[in-house]
Amino acid sequence: MSGQRTHDAAAPSTEVLVAGGGLVGLTAALVLRHHGVAVTVVERRRTTSPQPKARRCHVRSMEIFRELGLAGLVRDAARELAGHDHMAAGRTLAQAEQLPLWLPAGPAGPVSDISPELPCLLAQDALEPLLREAAVAAGATVRFGTELAGFGQDDDEVTAQILDVGSGRRERITARYLIAADGARSSVRAALGIGRSGRGVVGRPSVSVYFRADLADVVRGREFNLCQIDHPDAPGGLASVDGRRRWVFMSPGGTAGRDWPALLRTALGVPAPDLEVLSVLPWQAEMRVADRYSGGRVHLAGDAAHVMPPFAASGANTGIADVHNLGWKLAAVLRAEAAPALLDSYDAERRPAGWFAADQSSRRTRDLRGLAEGPDPALAHPLILAAGGFQYPAGALVPDPRRASDPEPVTEFSPAGRVGTRIPHRWLDQARTQSTIDLAGLGWALVTGIKARPDADRPDVDRPDAGRADPDRPNAHRLDACRLHADFLPAGQCLLLRPDHIIAWRGADPAAAASVLAALLHPQSAPSATAEDAARSGGGISPLPATRPG
Ligand SMILES: Cc1cc2nc3c(=O)[nH]c(=O)nc-3n(C[C@H](O)[C@H](O)[C@H](O)COP(=O)(O)OP(=O)(O)OC[C@H]3O[C@@H](n4cnc5c(N)ncnc54)[C@H](O)[C@@H]3O)c2cc1C
């Protein structure tokens, strides 16, 4: 691929075009702006999601929002459901009892303090407007009511045709890269001819009925995240959207011949005179993962790359991690600090991670729905999904030869700073404001282990380079050095931390780190799909296959 930019003179240009302004596309815009990349998002709908859909932000997503400076905003927006972490169960809502709070267990008891951020419950229809506003404030161009209608690519750029949904006006836009965050029925994926593999349909069809009813008095004192209703005429799961007036009832079966207000009142066990059904959404849990995450200059992210049953609350969270992984790599390539072949590591890392999340979500569904024949020995510890515990097998990292004998376990949660995993969280100060997760972010960090300090009042970390960005290139991929005492890093050992908090290398010689970093940023060029993908688009713009609006 040439590093030179050649533009269609008539077309406005951007560095990265994002198709789809859902939760993943908007997060992609934020990550790219964080790294100083010019980005345009086009979203077919005129508004953000009207459906609550995903509600749980795992700690790993909160860590990403922390890096983007958004964790406080997200937490504030989530305060309505703060403390609604319990499950509840009963014949009807009126009879339901709150169940004891379940905490994931580790070898030494309940696991806590795994992250500088707590998870939170915030429905997608409340999170997306916040992300949209933040992306615009960060300088992204965000165009709702605008559809990607077709695209083509060559060695240098992507040329897209976009359609103003209201006026029907079409225009061209060029970009160095395209991120397809266009959802499960991704027409970009279809245009690239990328198939999907996986278990396919998992479990039975369900219907999510989104409704309004003032139930604050009914639930007061036994607030819940999800309440399992086992009334024989109205079984299902009642999810809190704001914990007072907005709810989603997930009912097994189809929509035909069902009187939803009557069924909901049976499940609630109270008259709920103000009950109003807002939408009825039939869905079928599926596990399907794209066979390639990249096609030349186009990269799939979020549901476009993977769909999974919702019972591990991992669909949206996995998509957020996708674009966090892709963002710094695109920035490094666009700034010519890395070779384009670095982008091959996106597929090498995120496709196995997507497969793992989708497979585990399917296993969780079978476990929860009683479809499994017995305990599933491969069911991962819940924090592996929630705290980004998946170990990348290959990619922009130097595999540790010990991986074969000492891989990151999945049935228990015991992060130990292995290569290909997120750095374990440890507080860096007694006030608990700074975490090891904060050691990287815009740039890379070289972390060297030191012995514990005898003076307990001083933090066990030195960060001489922290915050010393080059004023002329504030988003350059720099290497900060720091010294740290931590249980997972013996004195004298060092590790190289990527901008996405992933450990890329461990070794004993800090002087080797710069050459390791250079080699990671300039990998041997793998065979590129660009020629094939450009040939598929015939060098010009191919219209996208029609899909139903999501
Ligand atoms: C009932 C339900 C419950 C769920 N619960 C959870 C949960 O608890 N936790 C969790 O993590 N996940 C959950 N999910 C999954 C989660 O909602 C999805 O994983 C998430 O929405 C994926 O985000 P996305 O941005 O990739 O795709 P989407 O949200 O589908 O966004 C894609 C966007 O692209 C737009 N688009 C499509 N084509 C074009 C085009 N050509 N041009 C411009 N725009 C286009 C669409 O209009 C859409 O807005 C749930 C899903 C459902 C249905």
Side-chain angles (χ1 to χ4, degrees):
M1 281 180 209
S2 151
Q4 297 297 310
R5 302 178 68 162
T6 54
H7 288 305
D8 176 343
S13 67
T14 184
E15 290 185 303
V16 178
L17 176 65
V18 180
L23 183 142
V24 172
L26 292 169
T27 306
L30 282 156
V31 173
L32 289 163
R33 287 305 305 140
H34 181 57
H35 289 286
V37 173
V39 55
T40 297
V41 180
V42 290
E43 164 55 52
R44 163 193 287 155
R45 287 188 320 232
R46 289 172 200 278
T47 64
T48 48
S49 173
Q51 296 289 337
K53 298 200 290 187
R55 292 176 309 129
R56 180 169 285 279
C57 287
H58 285 323
V59 291
R60 185 63 189 137
S61 297
M62 291 303 289
E63 288 169 359
I64 293 168
F65 291 143
R66 174 186 178 92
E67 184 194 325
L68 299 175
L70 288 177
L73 269 181
V74 172
R75 247 192 331 269
D76 279 356
R79 63 182 175 274
E80 279 175 330
L81 287 184
H84 290 232
D85 299 315
H86 291 257
M87 304 296 276
R91 190 167 187 274
T92 63
L93 174 65
Q95 295 166 294
E97 287 183 17
Q98 202 183 48
L99 303 176
L101 192 60
W102 176 84
L103 282 177
V111 181
S112 60
D113 223 8
I114 57 159
S115 168
E117 296 293 335
L118 291 170
C120 69
L121 289 169
L122 178 60
Q124 203 164 328
D125 61 342
L127 178 58
E128 285 188 8
L130 187 155
L131 297 178
R132 179 181 177 178
E133 203 173 308
V136 172
T141 301
V142 180
R143 297 174 62 173
F144 272 57
T146 308
E147 181 177 303
L148 177 74
F151 72 94
Q153 57 176 316
D154 59 25
D155 275 358
D156 295 309
E157 62 187 11
V158 175
T159 304
Q161 186 173 69
I162 59 174
L163 168 73
D164 183 296
V165 176
S167 67
R169 199 170 72 88
R170 287 173 189 266
E171 63 180 290
R172 279 185 178 213
I173 183 167
T174 61
R176 301 289 304 286
Y177 293 95
L178 170 64
I179 297 180
D182 55 343
R185 292 190 289 266
S186 170
S187 46
V188 175
R189 186 188 64 232
L192 289 168
I194 298 178
R196 292 186 294 174
S197 306
R199 294 170 190 247
V201 164
V202 179
R204 291 194 294 145
S206 291
V207 183
S208 282
V209 187
Y210 177 30
F211 68 100
R212 221 183 334 239
D214 189 346
L215 301 172
D217 290 342
V218 184
V219 301
R220 186 164 298 119
R222 50 200 180 102
E223 288 81 4
F224 57 84
N225 166 12
L226 192 69
C227 178
Q228 197 59 44
I229 306 285
D230 57 18
H231 192 291
D233 298 332
L238 181 66
S240 298
V241 177
D242 68 3
R244 293 173 297 124
R245 301 205 64 227
R246 298 196 298 137
W247 313 89
V248 171
F249 187 65
M250 286 170 281
S251 168
T255 52
R258 300 176 82 179
D259 178 346
W260 292 113
L263 185 142
L264 291 173
R265 289 192 170 98
T266 303
L268 298 176
V270 292
D274 61 339
L275 185 146
E276 180 192 358
V277 173
L278 300 173
S279 69
V280 175
L281 188 73
W283 57 276
Q284 169 66 60
E286 289 179 286
M287 181 230 168
R288 298 185 200 276
V289 181
D291 296 332
R292 283 189 289 148
Y293 271 25
S294 302
R297 294 184 162 269
V298 185
H299 302 281
L300 310 181
D303 278 16
H306 42 68
V307 288
M308 59 195 78
F311 303 103
S314 288
N317 288 291
T318 305
I320 289 170
D322 290 341
V323 291
H324 187 236
N325 179 295
L326 181 58
W328 69 265
K329 294 175 181 173
L330 284 172
V333 172
L334 285 163
R335 301 281 160 270
E337 292 167 358
L342 173 67
L343 297 173
D344 296 341
S345 68
Y346 175 61
D347 176 90
E349 294 174 356
R350 290 311 302 169
R351 194 154 51 85
W355 185 277
F356 177 78
D359 178 57
Q360 286 294 328
S361 299
S362 308
R363 291 175 187 276
R364 193 79 65 84
T365 308
R366 296 178 63 77
D367 192 55
L368 289 174
R369 294 266 163 113
L371 301 171
E373 278 162 16
D376 180 350
L379 194 64
H381 189 285
L383 289 180
I384 297 291
L385 284 178
F390 178 76
Q391 182 174 24
Y392 294 142
L397 46 86
V398 182
D400 189 333
R402 288 171 303 180
R403 182 174 185 269
S405 57
D406 180 33
E408 184 84 354
V410 294
T411 53
E412 63 185 71
F413 183 69
S414 59
R418 296 175 180 89
V419 170
T421 64
R422 142 198 181 275
I423 188 170
H425 154 70
R426 301 288 183 271
W427 290 114
L428 297 181
D429 56 350
Q430 283 167 350
R432 298 185 159 224
T433 60
Q434 291 292 305
S435 157
T436 42
I437 299 285
D438 304 321
L439 290 173
L442 278 179
W444 294 65
L446 173 63
V447 188
T448 304
I450 52 172
K451 289 206 174 100
R453 293 217 167 97
D455 178 356
D457 287 343
R458 291 183 57 209
D460 281 343
V461 63
D462 290 325
R463 300 178 69 186
D465 293 348
R468 256 190 246 159
D470 178 342
D472 295 328
R473 304 178 72 211
N475 297 305
H477 280 266
R478 60 177 199 264
L479 178 62
D480 285 347
C482 75
R483 290 157 19 101
L484 170 74
H485 166 66
D487 53 325
F488 59 83
L489 188 60
Q493 281 276 309
C494 44
L495 54 84
L496 191 58
L497 198 56
R498 304 191 328 195
D500 56 359
H501 326 144
I502 298 293
I503 296 168
W505 169 77
R506 277 186 85 121
D509 179 9
S515 53
V516 170
L517 174 58
L520 290 176
L521 291 176
H522 296 88
Q524 294 295 310
S525 190
S528 164
T530 302
E532 184 192 318
D533 292 305
R536 191 187 298 280
S537 73
I541 297 180
S542 307
L544 289 179
T547 54
R548 281 177 292 132

